[in-house]
Amino acid sequence: MELHAQTIEQLHEQLIQKTIKPSDILDSVYKRIEAVEPAVKAYLMLTKELAYAMAKSAEERIMNNDNVTEITGIPIGLKDNMCLDGYETTCAAQMLKGYKPPYTATALEKLQRAGAVFTGKLNMDEFAFGSSTENSSFHTTCNPYDISRVPGGSSGGSAAAVAADMCIAALGSDTGGSIKQPAGLCNVTGIRPTYGRVSRYGLIAFGSSLDQIGPMTKTVRDNAILLKYLAGLDEKDSTSAPIAVPDYLKNLRSDIKGMKIGLPKEYFIDGMDAEVKSKVMDAVRTLQDAGARVEEISMPHTEYALDVYYVVAPAEASSNLARFDGVQYGYRDTTADNMIDMYKKSRAKGFGRETKRRIMLGTYVLSSGYYDAYYKKAQKVRTLIKQDFDRAFANVDVILTPTSPTTAFKIGEKAADPLTMYLSDIFTIAPNMAGMPGISVPAGFDSKGLPIGMQVMAAPFAEQAIYDLTAFYQQKTNWHLQKPRL
Amino acid sequence: MVITRKDVEYIAHLSRLEITEQEAEQYTKELSDILEHINRLSKLNTDNVEPTYFTMDMKNVTRSDVVKPSIDKQKVFVAAPSIENNGFKVPKII
């Protein structure tokens, strides 16, 4: 198998055996990018020079046996909302076109320290507002399994690049489902860690009580490897958790006997795609046959999660995006002759339609007279949603659901109607509102050959249980090994 | 419509966004649709429920007050649209 098509684990083995060099992997990855990027359009920018310099230093570490980690020499793609010192970081927004941050995000610094190699910056919905990459102000990424369809979003570039072997793994970020939903639509394994597990320092903020960085990989085992290097307390992010990071891969259970899986009836609703439901139920049977115990549970406030999210997330976004004012960095309109007009014109031209819509929605629900009716009300219902999860996890180890109600939709199909688009995140939003970790893993294909994702969630900081179950599932199935025909 | 065009123009001002006539029209409809959906929340009784602004069980996080080097000023100015005399230059305020 060509190097670009392999996993972190497989490549690491050959690197330490010294049968290949980091630059060999990089050559293979960039060759692959050259071949398929014109069809997929996952990247916004390649960082070739930096990547080869990083590969060189990784090679030296390996030759000298100096602090070699499982990701030393592994090419990783970065979602373009994570700051990398001196390299354009745009959030796929005109507002930040050309912006080169003067510092590096902690998550990226940690990967750098472990010897990883950065292939480039990946496409996304502008400021992570969206579920399809159609809101990118540069271009739309295509789903590698059917290039007339979306890859999901907002981390659609990351999911498509991993699926198409244009990097060995990628980083995404997830606020309402932006790692899990595209992972599901592109046959990739993507985890949204517990809120607080990975430092948000240097991640351009969308919803500060919701945002998390997480790894998107070809296997659960690779995912477990990468999270170990990303996670942990960071003094630059006071919301990062002072909780020890386990060696998830080493700790993986060899079986799942006795694990308790909850199936919330509210996630298997009428009107959802029948093929999605049937494949996810197949997966449940596979796990049951291996000794897992399955029970139906109820999470009665699920139906309100989307409404809570579309109050809380825009409210936080409207505050966070106030920083884009044309003063210290970012786009400035030069035609205005006073400060207020300069703000208004810069923001009007620098932000895309969905960004403006969310800023206005957030401003409205926080404004005097509506704060109690919308913002405070939503945060109260958020408590009820969290209580649903707390109650469930008192009885089960993990909760299993489909990742999305449908498989990948056509480019343009939902772009005109924001509400329909928002509904594609309906299954990922509730656990995010409650701060719970969750993964999406491949669970099969529909009759059109489009990937179906299965979401597995656990209690806060119980990522190990998620990995235990899903790594076992990938031993029993090979959905995750089926590559797109490009 | 849950909100009026006048509301939208006011929110746009608060948001420091210049919007066109046509955008005002569009946002009035779109935001009304979304708010109408969100209004379902009012069906729920939350009288005795505390709000959750933050999901982790954390109190104030402090650190020792130690002077550390910060990012070099000149490095920060590289990204600025306009600078003068070691400061960010902006249009007239008053």
Side-chain angles (χ1 to χ4, degrees), chain A residues 198-462:
Chain A
V198 179
S199 167
R200 295 183 293 113
Y201 179 75
L203 171 69
I204 296 174
F206 162 3
S208 301
S209 78
L210 296 158
D211 297 342
Q212 265 297 285
I213 292 173
M216 303 177 78
T217 55
K218 298 175 188 179
T219 65
V220 171
R221 294 177 62 89
D222 275 7
N223 208 278
I225 291 172
L226 203 43
L227 183 59
K228 181 177 77 178
Y229 293 101
L230 291 168
L233 179 67
D234 175 20
E235 64 168 25
K236 290 174 181 156
D237 174 7
S238 55
T239 64
S240 65
I243 295 175
V245 182
D247 190 334
Y248 301 107
L249 186 72
K250 218 168 124 191
N251 295 350
L252 280 181
R253 284 172 56 163
S254 57
D255 68 65
I256 55 165
K257 283 196 183 71
M259 267 187 98
K260 280 175 88 177
I261 303 173
L263 299 183
K265 61 174 190 218
E266 292 81 4
Y267 286 71
F268 294 87
I269 44 175
D270 290 342
M272 72 183 287
D273 190 321
E275 288 185 286
V276 170
K277 186 172 175 178
S278 118
K279 290 292 177 195
V280 171
M281 290 315 291
D282 285 351
V284 170
R285 271 185 292 276
T286 302
L287 296 165
Q288 211 164 11
D289 289 347
R293 280 153 56 197
V294 176
E295 63 180 80
E296 190 184 273
I297 58 173
S298 173
M299 309 186 73
H301 299 95
T302 302
E303 63 165 308
Y304 299 103
L306 193 72
D307 304 289
V308 172
Y309 180 79
Y310 276 98
V311 174
V312 175
E316 294 185 3
S318 71
S319 312
N320 275 321
L321 270 65
R323 76 193 60 192
F324 299 105
D325 59 1
V327 175
Q328 296 172 37
Y329 49 79
Y331 176 78
R332 176 190 290 192
D333 177 86
T334 50
T335 62
D337 60 1
N338 69 73
M339 192 72 169
I340 298 286
D341 280 352
M342 188 279 279
Y343 290 151
K344 286 187 174 179
K345 286 180 193 295
S346 300
R347 290 163 63 81
K349 289 181 190 159
F351 290 141
R353 278 186 54 78
E354 181 64 23
T355 302
K356 289 185 215 176
R357 192 184 291 130
R358 298 221 192 173
I359 290 174
M360 301 228 289
L361 182 57
T363 303
Y364 181 74
V365 299
L366 287 175
S367 65
S368 159
Y370 299 99
Y371 180 93
D372 282 352
Y374 288 106
Y375 185 69
K376 198 162 179 195
K377 179 78 183 183
Q379 299 287 31
K380 286 181 167 190
V381 180
R382 187 181 190 178
T383 303
L384 300 175
I385 292 167
K386 188 166 183 299
Q387 286 169 353
D388 279 357
F389 279 92
D390 292 341
R391 256 194 308 274
F393 285 125
N395 291 313
V396 300
D397 299 305
V398 296
I399 294 173
L400 191 154
T401 74
T403 305
S404 305
T406 65
T407 52
F409 44 91
K410 291 265 187 193
I411 291 171
E413 188 183 323
K414 298 186 182 180
D417 180 5
L419 256 178
T420 320
M421 183 71 87
Y422 296 171
L423 285 165
S424 69
D425 292 330
I426 193 155
F427 294 154
T428 53
I429 276 177
N432 288 20
M433 292 310 306
M436 306 290 159
I439 205 168
S440 177
V441 293
F445 294 83
D446 71 4
S447 50
K448 296 192 208 77
L450 300 170
I452 292 167
M454 164 172 93
Q455 177 178 229
V456 177
M457 306 165 245
F461 301 98

Side-chain angles (χ1 to χ4, degrees), chain A residues 112-178:
Chain A
Q112 255 171 332
R113 270 205 300 276
V117 171
F118 298 154
T119 53
K121 296 301 210 72
L122 292 157
N123 196 25
M124 55 187 283
D125 287 290
E126 180 177 307
F127 289 109
F129 300 145
S131 314
S132 68
T133 74
E134 287 167 292
N135 295 330
S136 165
S137 73
F138 301 119
H139 58 249
T140 298
T141 297
C142 304
N143 191 310
Y145 289 84
D146 176 349
I147 58 168
S148 71
R149 292 175 188 269
V150 303
S154 67
S155 311
S158 305
V162 173
D165 294 323
M166 291 196 279
C167 53
I168 305 306
L171 295 191
S173 68
D174 189 301
T175 305
S178 280

